Amino acid sequence: MGKIVVLVFLTFSLHAKSNVYEDVCVKCHRYQPAVLEKMFMLYLKTYSVELGFKLSLKEYLQNPTEEKSLIGSAFIRNFSVKDPSDLNETQLDEAIDYYWELYNPKNNLK
């Protein structure tokens, strides 16, 4: 019985986290050429460890600049640097955690 309760809790927890990611991040990136999975791989290649990945992404989202951007100058010339995120600390952490879990290659190894 306890395992079922934990499983239900985790399912609801992941769904709640996905709302911020799906409602804010995916909503905006859906219409841009920068695919979220490719951006994930670029951040992973650059920062390689989870903590560095998450901290650098959060710093960029809170205060985006061309110098911090990994996407490239051609993209920035066409679309400019994004505005700072309107998400609060908690929402930003949840969205980044969900993003990490969604595309982390280790989660797809069998």
Side-chain angles (χ1 to χ4, degrees), residues 38-53:
K38 288 182 182 178
M39 290 177 68
F40 178 92
M41 292 304 166
L42 183 58
Y43 264 87
L44 186 61
K45 180 177 141 186
T46 304
Y47 295 102
S48 71
V49 294
E50 182 176 356
L51 183 60
F53 174 100

Side-chain angles (χ1 to χ4, degrees), residues 48-88:
S48 71
V49 294
E50 182 176 356
L51 183 60
F53 174 100
K54 289 180 176 181
L55 288 175
S56 62
L57 182 55
K58 184 175 182 179
E59 183 179 313
Y60 176 75
L61 293 171
Q62 289 175 323
N63 184 23
T65 64
E66 187 171 352
E67 294 76 31
K68 291 180 193 173
S69 176
L70 298 181
I71 201 67
S73 57
F75 182 87
I76 291 174
R77 274 194 307 275
N78 291 328
F79 296 98
S80 76
V81 176
K82 74 174 284 333
D83 293 330
S85 175
D86 292 332
L87 299 175
N88 65 39

